[in-house]
């Protein structure tokens, strides 16, 4: 049997079997257990701060974990609220500018003819914007929410239920860490799970460090460049660009490219040229650093990482942004393990 399943065939069957197992776990097990699976790394992160609070302030572990989670949640909610307000104001400014630009005509002209859009097209866009503004009124939005209130309440209730379970599970995991660890050692696949956990934490740590370095460099290039160039809120916009650049599929071009087009359409060629230069520097920097840092730490190229994200999106929706690369890491780890039907296992 070992001779039949050796070499390339053994690798092939390990890839196929591990892929099927990973898909079944992500499809049927993970949706049921993800609040508890996320509770363990959360408890590990909270362990040292909780011990500090207990040692110097005599606060119970469960209470300390709850206070830390509530404080972190409040800070994240405040940042999300401020960021949402800023983005809505920017969108409102963009829509007003677009309406004024369409109503007044584009600045690019040649012999009396528009080189970007014809007059009929600008009228069509103006009517479309006016129609959208008149359609999406406050009354219509309220009516839509009332008609779909059941689905909205179910989604919101399910989300808050999962969040509450994760919150309680994290607190309990912090308080009962030693007891859970002792019970965990009695599991059949304890050694394999620990080995994979060490491998996964090492890879994720290297990946986070690499992406953090790239994000800080992108923030520095964008923020300082925009600030020196006189763009309003340049440092804040640089931070947004750096965060978006880290997200899979999106990248800095998601912010830069529409912004560049907008500047050129409004006749601000100098500003558009500056943005184009900044985007080029950020793009080249990411390409150079990503191939050297991210590819080495994850054991796969940028192409393979993009393919993993795409397959994850197709199979698991939005969660595939994370599940896709994680699934590839699990498959890579499984392939590196000894094949159970090898000659060495038969001798044993």
């Amino acid at each position: 049997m070992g001779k039949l399943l050796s070499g390339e065939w053994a690798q092939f069957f390990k890839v196929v079997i591990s892929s099927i197992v990973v898909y079944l776990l992500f499809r049927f097990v993970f949706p049921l257990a993800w609040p508890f699976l996320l509770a363990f790394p959360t408890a590990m992160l909270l362990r040292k701060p909780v011990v500090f609070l207990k040692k110097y302030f005599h606060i119970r572990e469960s209470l300390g974990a709850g206070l830390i989670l509530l404080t972190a949640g409040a800070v994240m909610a405040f940042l999300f609220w401020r960021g949402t307000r800023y983005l809505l104001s920017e969108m409102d400014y963009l829509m007003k500018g677009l309406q004024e630009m369409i109503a007044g005509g584009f600045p690019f002209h040649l012999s009396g003819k528009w080189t970007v859009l014809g007059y009929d097209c600008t009228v069509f866009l103006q009517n479309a914007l006016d129609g959208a503004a008149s359609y999406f009124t406050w009354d219509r939005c309220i009516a839509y929410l009332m008609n779909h209130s059941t689905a909205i309440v179910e989604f919101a209730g399910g989300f808050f239920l999962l969040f509450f379970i994760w919150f309680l599970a994290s607190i309990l995991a912090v308080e009962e860490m030693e007891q859970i660890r002792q019970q965990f050692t009695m599991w059949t696949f304890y050694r394999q799970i620990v080995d994979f956990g060490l491998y996964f934490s090492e890879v994720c740590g290297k990946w986070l460090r690499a992406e953090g370095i790239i994000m800080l460099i992108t923030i520095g290039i964008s923020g300082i460049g925009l600030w020196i160039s006189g763009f309003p809120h340049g440092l804040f916009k640089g931070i947004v660009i750096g965060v978006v650049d880290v997200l899979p599929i999106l990248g800095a071009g998601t912010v830069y490219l529409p912004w560049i087009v907008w500047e050129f359409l409004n006749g601000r060629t100098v500003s558009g040229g500056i943005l184009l230069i900044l985007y080029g520097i950020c793009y080249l920097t990411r390409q150079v650093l990503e191939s050297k840092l991210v590819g080495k730490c994850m054991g796969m190229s940028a192409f393979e990482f993009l393919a993993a994200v795409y397959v994850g999106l197709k199979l698991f929706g939005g969660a595939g942004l994370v599940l896709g690369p994680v699934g590839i890491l699990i498959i890579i780890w499984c392939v590196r393990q000894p094949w159970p039907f090898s000659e060495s296992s038969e001798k044993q």
Side-chain angles (χ1 to χ4, degrees), residues 221-222 226 241 252-261 275 278-279 282:
I221 294 172
S222 301
L226 294 174
I241 292 171
T254 306
V255 180
Y256 269 119
L257 293 178
W259 195 1
I260 293 170
V261 173
L275 294 176
L278 291 175
Y279 171 62
C282 292

Side-chain angles (χ1 to χ4, degrees), residues 17-74:
I17 294 174
S18 58
S19 300
I20 294 174
V21 172
V22 168
Y23 172 77
L24 294 176
L25 287 175
F26 284 173
R27 175 62 66 183
F28 299 104
V29 177
F30 185 77
L32 300 176
W34 78 262
F36 304 98
L37 295 176
L38 292 179
F40 286 103
T42 304
M44 296 298 294
L45 292 174
L46 295 176
R47 188 63 183 171
K48 289 184 178 180
V50 165
V51 171
F52 175 82
L53 292 177
K54 183 179 181 180
K55 181 178 180 180
Y56 293 98
F57 298 97
H58 305 288
I59 299 177
R60 287 185 55 185
E61 294 179 343
S62 57
L63 180 59
L67 291 175
I68 294 173
L69 289 177
L70 290 176
T71 304

Side-chain angles (χ1 to χ4, degrees), residues 228-290:
I228 294 176
S229 302
F231 286 91
H233 310 290
L235 295 177
F236 177 78
K237 291 177 180 178
I239 295 174
V240 173
I241 292 171
V243 173
V244 173
D245 185 55
V246 176
L247 300 178
I249 298 178
L250 297 180
T254 306
V255 180
Y256 269 119
L257 293 178
W259 195 1
I260 293 170
V261 173
W262 175 259
E263 294 295 326
F264 278 117
L265 287 177
N266 281 275
R268 296 189 286 266
T269 55
V270 176
S271 299
I274 293 173
L275 294 176
L276 185 60
I277 293 173
L278 291 175
Y279 171 62
I281 295 174
C282 292
Y283 178 80
L284 293 176
T285 302
R286 167 162 282 277
Q287 293 303 313
V288 173
L289 294 179
E290 192 171 42

